[in-house]
Amino acid sequence: GENVEQHPSTLSVQEGDSAVIKCTYSDSASNYFPWYKQELGKRPQLIIDIRSNVGEKKDQRIAVTLNKTAKHFSLHITETQPEDSAVYFCAATGRRALTFGSGTRLQVQP
Amino acid sequence: GAVVSQHPSRVICKSGTSVKIECRSLDFQATTMFWYRQFPKQSLMLMATSNEGSKATYEQGVEKDKFLINHASLTLSTLTVTSAHPEDSSFYICSAGGQLNYGYTFGSGTRLTVV
């Protein structure tokens, strides 16, 4: 089955700085890679996703890149704000259930 | 957009009792429902996949006789935790994905505490 590894587990940045979270996956058949933001006790919220036929996608301050050859994808958050503080999960799937990474706790210091 | 309603949001039960969690897709037909469990400060781990009208497929290490899943209609899937024990205390969350829906819609989650 799919295995997704995520790094770092915790990330602390100053407000206004950029944050990068990286994930690798094992199953070359995976073709959908969403990123979720989860606040304590709440459901994961989709923040951006990318499909395997695209190398990069951007939505305002958030961008995701995908390298299919290396089987890794990354989340980039620019101009971070305190409200970006949360746990972020990457995931991968090939039309089955999502396999999640272990999560990154992002803390944006004001 | 697609909405999945999950109930209850919180439940406290005594050891040995059973708890039923419901997930309903409100504005689309969920042919497939995924059930996840999330322990504190950990990731979401897939427990089982249910397809409407057929038996659920359980992940390795998940007891099918303890976690009963029913997906009798295209809009409702239920997870029953039978003979609950304190170690079953966790955040349970469903996710619906229809055949033509390439995305995944999560329920709001259920915080189960077994005392």
Side-chain angles (χ1 to χ4, degrees):
Chain A
E2 176 65 277
N3 181 47
V4 178
E5 296 195 358
Q6 182 172 346
H7 300 280
S9 56
T10 60
L11 180 59
S12 182
V13 299
Q14 290 295 124
E15 183 177 359
D17 287 351
S18 295
V20 180
I21 303 170
K22 297 182 179 182
C23 288
T24 60
Y25 63 99
S26 61
D27 189 349
S28 56
S30 288
N31 52 16
Y32 176 63
F33 308 92
W35 285 88
Y36 292 89
K37 175 183 181 182
Q38 188 180 31
E39 296 177 350
L40 191 63
K42 296 188 177 180
R43 80 182 89 190
Q45 295 282 355
L46 178 69
I47 56 173
I48 196 167
D49 58 11
I50 192 167
R51 290 175 170 76
S52 59
N53 59 346
V54 177
E56 184 175 355
K57 184 177 178 181
K58 188 174 182 180
D59 183 4
Q60 299 183 339
R61 296 187 297 111
I62 296 173
V64 57
T65 59
L66 171 66
N67 183 326
K68 285 194 302 179
T69 304
K71 292 187 204 164
H72 65 70
F73 54 114
S74 301
L75 177 71
H76 304 252
I77 305 175
T78 59
E79 302 172 28
T80 53
Q81 301 166 2
E83 50 265 38
D84 294 330
S85 296
V87 179
Y88 291 80
F89 291 98
C90 63
T93 185
R95 287 189 183 264
R96 230 191 129 256
L98 292 169
T99 299
F100 287 85
S102 53
T104 297
R105 183 170 299 279
L106 174 64
Q107 185 70 41
V108 180
Q109 307 289 345
Chain B
V3 176
V4 173
S5 173
Q6 182 171 348
H7 295 281
S9 57
R10 290 178 179 273
V11 59
I12 300 173
C13 71
K14 293 184 177 180
S15 288
T17 61
S18 295
V19 172
K20 179 184 281 189
I21 301 169
E22 289 189 353
C23 275
R24 293 180 184 272
S25 55
L26 299 185
D27 50 4
F28 68 103
Q29 294 182 331
T31 55
T32 304
M33 193 75 79
F34 305 104
W35 287 93
Y36 292 86
R37 179 167 54 183
Q38 185 178 31
F39 291 109
K41 297 186 178 181
Q42 293 189 23
S43 188
L44 288 83
M45 299 301 295
L46 180 69
M47 298 176 66
T49 301
S50 72
N51 292 297
E52 184 266 338
S54 62
K55 289 184 178 180
T57 303
Y58 290 81
E59 295 300 300
Q60 193 172 10
V62 179
E63 300 174 58
K64 62 179 181 180
D65 294 330
K66 179 173 181 62
F67 299 99
L68 302 180
I69 290 174
N70 185 285
H71 195 160
S73 78
L74 286 171
T75 59
L76 174 64
S77 178
T78 61
L79 167 66
T80 302
V81 183
T82 63
S83 187
H85 291 284
E87 55 265 33
D88 297 325
S89 299
S90 187
F91 188 62
Y92 292 86
I93 190 163
C94 61
S95 172
Q99 279 187 326
L100 299 179
N101 177 15
Y102 206 35
Y104 297 82
T105 304
F106 284 90
S108 53
T110 298
R111 173 75 57 196
L112 171 63
T113 303
V114 184
V115 299

